[in-house]
Amino acid sequence: MTYSSRISRKTIVNLFLIGFVTLLFVTDAKPTTFLQDFRVTWSDSHVKQLNGGMGIQLLLDQNSGCGFASKSKYLFGRVSMKIKLIPGDSAGTVTAFYMNSDTDNVRDELDFEFLGNRTGQPYSVQTNVYAHGKGDREQRVNLWFDPAADFHVYSILWNHHHVVFSVDEVPIRVYKNNEAKGVPFPKFQPMGVFSTLWEADDWATRGGLEKIDWSKAPFYAYYKDFDIEGCPMPGPSSCASNPSNWWEGTSYQQLDALAARRYRWVRMNHMVYDYCTDKHRYPVTPPECMDGI
């Protein structure tokens, strides 16, 4: 649901090992149906509701991809979904889950883009951050599991201090507020929540070398457990600056020791591209890359 007053009381329910201990969380939030918070934006015939609207199926074929968006925009908070990606040969496809201010040249945007693969190759997720119209901050991570075999939780935490992209509560990207260094940070424009499934075989897999095999179509991606917690806009002007919002709390202003250890594990073992180290594109390291987490 979409109420800033709903406080998530998260409880540790299980421990498992992925090279280090990973924590799983459950919340007391009630399940949200698709139509409570979202609407289809593109190719209604390719979006199918499942289980009474508790989940959806997106379809890509040679006729069309599809997409959906939240009915409201939000200024700070956390959004998460469980997603099961396209199985088998998904080369050339992109399943995107992102936030966007939808404001043309000065847009703010926070991206998850899941890049399809040839069977047997790792699935890559690309993240990107646009702030005040400036993007080109791509990072890519190879996922350490098969994201088409089951649902996994993908989330974006956005507050005044940083943006954190997480997979199953494992942080894979942290973008800090470095306005003091002259680096723009998205904090003025509310953003909607979007998802699309589309053809991008000109760049998505091995830089466009691997094309979509349409004999494998149609392609399906699945979503469930939609969760948005933030300040809906338009709304009370005081919400976005309220320090008592849970996502602004002390424990969410920086990664704790365990989260930082997981983050370093991902970067050391699974990162395959980082704009910060791309000297061809950035001979001078961007200032936000010098600040760690």
Side-chain angles (χ1 to χ4, degrees), residues 4 18 23 32 36 47 84 96 99 123 125 128 158 177 217 222-223:
S4 63
I18 57 169
L23 301 180
T32 303
Q36 282 180 267
V47 179
K84 183 163 66 171
M99 301 188 73
Y123 239 110
V125 56
N128 201 356
W158 172 34
N177 184 339
Y222 297 88
Y223 294 70

Side-chain angles (χ1 to χ4, degrees), residues 1 30 37 60 66-67 97 106 134 148 157 164 186 194 228 235 277:
M1 297 295 289
K30 294 181 179 179
D37 284 344
L60 167 66
C66 58
F97 164 42
V106 292
K134 172 65 170 66
L157 173 74
V164 182
F194 296 81
I228 304 174
T277 59

Side-chain angles (χ1 to χ4, degrees), residues 77-95:
R78 182 180 186 270
V79 56
S80 70
M81 296 183 188
K82 288 184 179 178
I83 306 174
K84 183 163 66 171
L85 298 174
I86 300 167
D89 187 345
S90 58
T93 68
V94 173
T95 307

Side-chain angles (χ1 to χ4, degrees), residues 19-31:
F20 46 72
V21 175
T22 296
L23 301 180
L24 295 180
F25 297 87
V26 295
T27 75
D28 61 354
K30 294 181 179 179

Side-chain angles (χ1 to χ4, degrees), residues 38 62 79 126 161 176 257 279-280 283:
F38 297 95
Q62 284 185 280
V79 56
Q126 175 169 284
H161 302 274
K176 293 184 68 174
K279 294 301 182 182
H280 177 72

Side-chain angles (χ1 to χ4, degrees), residues 171-235:
I172 66 167
R173 172 91 183 255
V174 177
Y175 183 80
K176 293 184 68 174
N177 184 339
N178 275 300
E179 290 178 304
K181 295 183 177 181
V183 179
F185 185 80
K187 71 175 189 179
F188 299 108
Q189 301 187 97
M191 289 190 272
V193 183
F194 296 81
S195 186
T196 54
L197 174 58
W198 53 292
E199 170 191 356
D201 65 5
D202 58 334
W203 67 272
T205 307
R206 294 185 60 212
L209 295 177
E210 304 284 358
K211 304 300 183 182
I212 290 181
D213 182 354
W214 288 112
S215 71
K216 303 294 195 301
F219 303 100
Y220 299 101
Y222 297 88
Y223 294 70
K224 67 178 183 178
D225 292 3
F226 313 101
D227 186 18
I228 304 174
E229 300 178 76
C231 290
M233 296 289 164

